[in-house]
């Protein structure tokens, strides 16, 4: 089983890279022979704005754009996701929304957790994400970390408050459990339906 830590900003000098690295550091304690974590940087995929005629949910992964295909193949590798998301204009960042819109079956029925940051911790973006991922029947987890842009991200990288260690461990415990349970469940359903 694999869990992706998606670094969700594509901006130059993005804070999402610092936050994703911090999540990855803490994830080591939750990995074992059956479960690994990997940072996936959206910025590495140069994903175009979705302008193809085909709707991803109806294409059965047969995308025509190579970057969309590569992004889909990467996301398909994982059984669960921790999304590191900024908040732009009180909502989800457009590039990351486009990255969700560009795929469909790859996300379906899997667990997802959010780590956000912003002036108010990015919580408005996370609440919007919960509505969006409902369309993929994803299981969005209650536990989050909402980092303060001004208190924790204004220096060189991330300087987390002391309580954040416990918060990210709660997120990791939750996504680890949900990923194990839901992966087993999907496999059981597939064998019943085979
Ligand atoms: C277009 C844009 C809109 C923003 N709007 C908000 C906002 O509504 N709320 C907020 O807390 N921060 C906002 N910010 C500040 C971001 O939280 C901050 O720039 C953060 O570092 C962005 O994440 P990134 O560096 O990973 O892209 C905005 C930044 C940008 C670029």
């Amino acid at each position: 089983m694999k869990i992706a830590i998606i670094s969700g900003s594509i901006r130059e000098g993005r804070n999402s890279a610092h936050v994703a690295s911090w999540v990855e550091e803490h994830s080591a304690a939750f990995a074992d022979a059956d479960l690994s974590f990997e940072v996936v940087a959206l910025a590495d995929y140069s994903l175009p704005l979705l302008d193809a005629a085909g709707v991803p949910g109806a294409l059965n992964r047969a995308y025509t754009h190579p970057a969309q295909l590569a992004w889909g193949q990467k996301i398909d590798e994982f059984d669960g996701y921790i999304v590191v998301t900024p908040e732009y204009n009180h909502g989800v960042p457009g590039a990351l929304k486009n990255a969700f819109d560009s795929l469909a079956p790859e996300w379906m029925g899997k667990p997802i957790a959010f780590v956000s940051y912003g002036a108010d911790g990015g919580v408005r973006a996370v609440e919007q994400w919960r509505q969006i991922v409902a369309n993929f029947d994803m299981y969005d987890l209650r536990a989050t970390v909402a980092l303060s842009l001004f208190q924790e991200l204004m220096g060189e990288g991330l300087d987390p408050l002391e309580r954040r260690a416990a918060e990210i461990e709660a997120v990791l415990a939750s996504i680890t459990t949900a990923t194990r349970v839901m992966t087993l469940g999907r496999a059981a359903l597939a064998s019943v339906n085979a």
Side-chain angles (χ1 to χ4, degrees):
M1 276 170 278
K2 285 172 69 179
I3 296 175
I5 302 165
I6 298 178
S7 172
S9 172
I10 61 168
R11 280 194 328 117
E12 278 179 35
R14 52 195 164 270
N15 271 319
S16 70
H18 304 305
V19 178
S21 297
W22 174 74
V23 175
E24 187 183 30
E25 279 165 33
H26 282 272
S27 74
F30 291 81
D32 61 24
D34 292 327
L35 183 74
S36 61
F37 293 82
E38 181 182 329
V39 172
V40 176
L42 175 58
D44 289 346
Y45 289 81
S46 302
L47 202 60
L49 267 181
L50 181 66
D51 63 0
V55 176
L59 289 177
N60 196 23
R61 296 175 169 81
Y63 309 119
T64 46
H65 197 292
Q68 193 180 0
L69 207 54
W71 173 242
Q73 284 167 353
K74 190 68 200 173
I75 291 302
D76 237 353
E77 287 178 17
F78 299 96
D79 305 290
Y81 307 91
I82 301 172
V83 175
V84 173
T85 180
E87 174 181 295
Y88 288 174
N89 293 312
H90 289 193
V92 301
L96 187 53
K97 174 65 160 61
N98 180 63
F100 272 77
D101 292 344
S102 296
L103 308 178
E106 298 84 348
W107 303 116
M108 287 297 297
K110 296 178 186 172
I112 186 165
F114 299 96
V115 173
S116 61
Y117 48 97
D120 295 306
V123 294
R124 288 167 291 232
V126 171
E127 292 310 306
Q128 290 188 1
W129 277 121
R130 294 185 188 283
Q131 295 188 354
I132 292 163
V133 302
N135 194 47
F136 298 126
D137 276 340
M138 297 186 92
Y139 176 44
D140 60 307
L141 299 173
R142 177 179 185 274
T144 59
V145 184
L147 298 160
S148 165
L149 182 66
F150 295 121
Q151 276 187 285
E152 300 172 275
L153 279 159
M154 289 311 264
E156 295 291 308
L158 174 65
D159 182 15
L161 299 176
E162 204 178 321
R163 70 171 193 269
R164 301 304 188 200
E167 291 176 3
I168 190 60
E169 280 161 23
V171 167
L172 286 158
S174 192
I175 191 75
T176 299
T177 301
T179 299
R180 288 189 199 282
V181 169
M182 293 180 73
T183 304
L184 284 174
R186 280 200 312 280
L189 270 180
S191 71
V192 167
N193 293 332

